[in-house]
Amino acid sequence: MIQTDGAFGRPTRHAPPLLNARHAEDYWQQATRCIDLVRRKMASVDRPFTGAHPEELKRLFEGIDLDAPLGELRPALEELERVYLDDAVYFHHPRYVAHLNCPIVLPGILAEAILAPINSSLDTFDQSAGGTFIEQSLIDWTANRIGLGQDADGVFTSGGTQSNLMALMIARDHYGAALADHGDNKHEGLPADYRRLRILGSEVSHFSLQKSAAILGLGYQAVMPVACDDHFRMDPAALKARLEECLAMSLIPIAVVATAGTTDFGSIDPLEEIAALCRAHGIWLHVDAAYGGGLLCSRRYRHRLAGIEHADSVTVDYHKTFFQPVSCSAFLVRRRSDLRHVTHHADYLNPLCQAEAGTPDQVNKSLQTTKRFDALKLWLTLRIMGADALGEMFERVIDLAGEAHDELARHPAFEVLLDPPMSTLVFRYRPADLCETELDELNAYVRAALSRNGEAVIAATRVDDKRYLKFTLLNPDTRLEDLTAIVERIVHHGRAWCEAQAPTRAAAS
Ligand SMILES: *Cc1c(COP(=O)(O)O)cnc(C)c1O
């Protein structure tokens, strides 16, 4: 006799492992095993990374035949532990201080446990229902914290890169729509003078500006770097000069991108002054607050974003300074009608009549169609913890960066580039008597040695063509002692490098 499913009256003999009423119990049991694996890992991870090299990890994949399934969860998890978890990079570890990856708050992870199985797609209301209103209320909440005004709107995105692309696309199309002899870019393509369009961002703005310009058909040549002051903030006088240069050369500046928290230095461009220049020249102002957005939750440091409310559009990455799991990010505009440049009505999905009837389809504002319900993570976080708690976590790492700076600045063998405006610290190990080439080699060696030994994961960058090391601090659990311990290891590896070089140097002199 064929067994039937009580709910649907369908045969169950070959029931595929789909999440449904029949498998809810299995799901729960198996999910528990996955969670338990993570729990064991969290308890046992004693360093941010094992230091495995790519060729060592690649070897682990030899002999794995994707056409020969293991059939069960247990062996698959054992294999996964071996090829992935054992050598994963653990951002929650206090000595992971490399990139803008944050440790993640529990409500955000718990939200993943709900949004993944329910699997709403936030493109149309008829695929997400209440999820649409959750996303929209977080957009409104963020716009309100920024101070964008009553007409603001926006959409969740996959990250700052996509948000910046949207900003520059809309700025480009906003310019195109205003031309007398041109319909709009959406229908007609780029205007005849497209080679003269320019995007102005500081010389340390994010590389996604260049990528966006290329994608938008303007090319890297369209991005005009604006000089910074010695604190890596866009110099308003240099911006003014650039704008005048554009006029003199018949170039057309369509957007200025101010960065509120540069990736390397955490520097915040002078938003008020830049906004005034944009207003005077009638140019789109985009504020890239992918990193600095977390200041919106900080009572003590919110004032550092003063002027952000003048922006025409803003990028905020919740997966950086709001301690959310990847991906969780938003793009916001001051005037909701500007989002029409990304709208396309498809009969099968979001017909015009549906929009006219007032159906809130997020796809009308998005580059994506099928879209994860990432907003739920921030929602649950705000509903459980609240914004102040997030702001205090960010404040803690900002304060830590200041303390680490003071400590490192006292150390005779270190050069610290600047007093940190946010939570990154850029420095290099600089013992006496080494030339620039040697300092570059030494600092590269030190960074690799720290990673290889699993002692710490730190970042590197180039400033004035010199190699620097970087701590990006986003973990409120990282203590000053963790950083001093890393500094001691830097000195240790640095001395070892100098000793190894000594014979060569003696021979050379
Ligand atoms: C991280 C970052 C981006 C890119 O964001 P993703 O989420 O990684 O795509 C853009 N701008 C700045 C200033 C950033 O720090």
Side-chain angles (χ1 to χ4, degrees):
M1 209 190 92
I2 293 177
Q3 276 187 303
T4 58
D5 174 315
F8 295 106
R10 290 174 192 155
T12 57
R13 237 184 346 197
H14 302 294
L18 297 169
L19 177 59
N20 51 31
R22 203 157 45 207
H23 289 126
E25 185 67 22
D26 282 352
Y27 166 65
W28 179 71
Q29 283 181 6
Q30 297 190 26
T32 307
R33 302 227 314 252
C34 295
I35 293 169
D36 199 54
L37 174 59
V38 173
R39 177 175 67 166
R40 273 198 293 114
K41 275 292 158 198
M42 287 294 136
S44 68
V45 164
D46 60 355
R47 45 192 177 163
F49 181 46
T50 58
H53 285 174
E55 61 277 10
E56 292 162 346
L57 288 186
K58 191 157 186 268
R59 228 171 285 139
L60 301 179
F61 289 82
E62 282 165 16
I64 293 183
D65 180 358
L66 289 178
D67 289 317
L70 300 168
E72 278 188 78
L73 180 61
R74 187 183 303 277
L77 286 185
E78 283 166 6
E79 178 184 89
L80 190 66
E81 194 168 354
R82 193 167 52 79
V83 301
Y84 172 57
L85 289 167
D86 283 351
D87 296 281
V89 180
Y90 288 99
F91 299 153
H92 71 279
H93 195 282
R95 278 180 278 115
Y96 177 86
V97 289
H99 302 290
L100 279 165
N101 311 104
C102 52
I104 48 183
V105 291
L106 287 181
I109 307 161
L110 299 175
E112 289 277 10
I114 295 170
L115 72 94
I118 305 301
N119 202 29
S120 295
S121 180
L122 271 277
D123 40 343
T124 52
F125 176 77
D126 72 0
Q127 299 173 75
S128 56
T132 298
F133 293 104
I134 287 182
E135 173 166 330
Q136 189 65 48
S137 22
L138 292 164
I139 290 293
D140 296 344
W141 177 84
T142 308
N144 189 41
R145 288 228 162 208
I146 296 171
L148 285 181
Q150 287 306 309
D151 193 29
D153 200 359
V155 70
F156 269 64
T157 65
S158 60
T161 302
Q162 186 185 129
S163 296
N164 285 348
L165 172 62
M166 287 187 78
L168 296 178
M169 173 187 163
I170 289 175
R172 180 197 68 175
D173 294 350
H174 177 76
Y175 164 76
L179 290 174
D181 54 349
H182 184 69
D184 65 25
N185 293 345
K186 194 157 48 174
H187 295 92
E188 301 189 5
L190 297 176
D193 57 4
Y194 77 92
R195 285 183 187 282
R196 294 195 280 127
L197 305 188
R198 291 295 179 273
I199 296 157
L200 286 77
S202 96
E203 52 197 0
V204 294
S205 57
H206 194 260
F207 70 86
S208 53
L209 305 192
Q210 273 85 352
K211 274 182 115 165
S212 300
I215 294 168
L216 293 171
L218 307 177
Y220 284 1
Q221 60 101 32
V223 182
M224 245 186 167
V226 179
C228 290
D229 64 15
D230 50 12
H231 288 84
F232 301 94
R233 296 172 299 209
M234 186 190 283
D235 175 3
L239 175 61
K240 187 159 182 287
R242 278 297 205 189
L243 291 171
E244 282 159 9
E245 185 186 328
C246 284
L247 287 179
M249 295 168 69
S250 300
L251 298 173
I252 306 158
I254 53 164
V256 171
V257 179
T259 312
T262 58
T263 314
D264 269 348
F265 312 104
S267 46
I268 300 174
D269 290 341
L271 303 176
E272 296 278 9
E273 288 160 276
I274 294 171
L277 281 166
C278 288
R279 206 177 307 125
H281 285 80
I283 302 173
W284 189 278
L285 171 61
H286 176 62
V287 177
D288 178 0
Y291 177 10
L295 295 176
L296 293 170
C297 297
S298 162
R299 290 180 184 272
R300 280 169 55 214
Y301 298 129
R302 168 64 179 85
H303 62 273
R304 295 186 185 183
L305 291 179
I308 192 172
E309 67 279 8
H310 303 307
D312 294 294
S313 58
V314 179
T315 290
V316 177
D317 254 358
Y318 308 112
H319 60 213
K320 285 177 178 167
T321 46
F322 288 70
F323 305 95
Q324 296 301 309
V326 173
S327 291
C328 198
S329 189
F331 171 67
L332 301 116
V333 289
R334 162 180 302 285
R335 289 163 300 269
R336 63 185 62 220
S337 65
D338 287 325
L339 289 165
R340 75 185 184 283
H341 296 299
V342 297
T343 310
H344 180 89
H345 291 290
D347 289 336
Y348 82 94
L349 188 69
N350 59 332
L352 180 60
C353 59
Q354 207 160 286
E356 284 167 351
T359 309
D361 293 331
Q362 301 297 96
V363 70
N364 296 341
K365 309 186 275 186
S366 176
L367 293 181
Q368 294 170 270
T369 305
T370 305
K371 186 159 71 84
R372 274 171 65 82
F373 185 20
D374 290 317
L376 186 62
K377 296 180 276 194
L378 184 60
W379 173 270
L380 214 52
T381 301
L382 293 182
R383 297 311 294 144
I384 296 173
M385 297 172 60
D388 284 350
L390 293 179
E392 281 159 22
M393 287 165 66
F394 193 27
E395 287 165 5
R396 208 174 313 168
V397 292
I398 293 173
D399 295 341
L400 177 65
E403 291 163 29
H405 166 268
D406 296 347
E407 182 113 343
L408 213 52
R410 277 196 296 271
H411 201 304
F414 282 86
E415 174 196 333
V416 193
L417 204 61
L418 80 163
D419 200 347
M422 217 139 56
S423 69
T424 60
L425 193 62
V426 182
F427 61 93
R428 59 180 182 161
Y429 181 53
R430 191 184 180 181
D433 298 337
L434 295 184
C435 71
E436 288 297 339
T437 319
E438 288 167 322
L439 286 177
D440 274 3
E441 279 175 37
L442 167 60
N443 281 279
Y445 170 82
V446 163
R447 177 176 179 234
L450 287 175
S451 172
R452 184 63 174 167
N453 291 308
E455 293 163 325
V457 183
I458 71 173
T461 191
R462 280 191 173 275
V463 183
D464 294 335
D465 217 31
K466 294 173 203 157
R467 194 181 274 275
Y468 282 82
L469 303 174
K470 179 168 80 157
F471 291 161
T472 304
L473 304 176
L474 282 186
N475 189 344
D477 263 358
T478 298
R479 298 274 167 266
L480 189 58
E481 300 86 80
D482 293 306
L483 301 179
T484 19
I486 299 174
V487 168
E488 275 164 25
R489 296 313 292 167
I490 292 176
V491 173
H492 168 86
H493 293 302
R495 290 206 174 121
W497 184 90
C498 290
E499 273 159 31
Q501 299 296 309
T504 345
R505 280 160 54 82
S509 60

